[in-house]
Amino acid sequence: MFFTSHYSPFTSHKLLEIMARSLKKGPFVESHLLEKIDKMNSSGAKRPIKTWSRRSMVTPDFVGHTFLVHNGKTFNSVFVTENMVGHKLGEFSQTRVFKKHGSHTAKVTK
């Protein structure tokens, strides 16, 4: 049974995590990224492709290319390998920076 009433134990965000994209639709890739890949493959050029599309899935056409994926502040360089196929570009460009837990002082280290 699909939860459609207001008594649903899932929030809309939780439903999105549970439900995957339909196989009949295929992977989602921004059309402008596919055009850039095709253009670079035909010309043989190897330069980074700047993109804000973190939601695009990595396809086998992307292998061997470098993407500059935006993380909200800067562009992180991502070189695509065969192991990355099926994942999304945003998974390889972290949006949060982990500093450290607590601080170590001279009093603690004694």
Side-chain angles (χ1 to χ4, degrees):
M1 178 179 155
F2 186 73
F3 297 101
T4 57
S5 69
H6 64 281
Y7 297 110
S8 173
F10 301 108
T11 61
S12 61
H13 182 67
K14 291 289 184 184
L15 272 177
L16 292 176
E17 289 178 10
I18 295 170
M19 298 172 60
R21 184 170 168 87
S22 172
L23 289 177
K24 70 178 180 182
K25 292 182 186 177
F28 174 80
V29 182
E30 293 280 352
S31 60
H32 70 274
L33 278 180
L34 290 175
E35 291 171 6
K36 288 181 182 182
I37 291 290
D38 290 339
K39 197 179 294 184
M40 288 185 70
N41 284 340
S42 63
S43 68
K46 288 284 187 180
R47 62 180 190 276
I49 300 170
K50 187 183 269 193
T51 183
W52 283 263
S53 177
R54 300 171 55 83
R55 62 187 179 167
S56 292
M57 188 172 285
V58 177
T59 62
D61 298 338
F62 289 11
V63 173
H65 290 280
T66 303
F67 289 88
L68 296 174
V69 183
H70 196 254
N71 70 353
K73 184 175 180 181
T74 60
F75 288 91
N76 294 335
S77 179
V78 175
F79 180 74
V80 178
T81 61
E82 289 181 18
N83 295 337
M84 296 178 180
V85 173
H87 293 273
K88 298 192 177 187
L89 284 174
E91 294 180 43
F92 306 107
S93 178
Q94 298 298 316
T95 57
R96 297 187 172 114
V97 179
F98 174 74
K99 298 292 185 184
K100 61 183 178 179
H101 289 293
S103 62
H104 297 287
T105 61
K107 190 184 289 185
V108 174
T109 56
K110 283 186 182 179

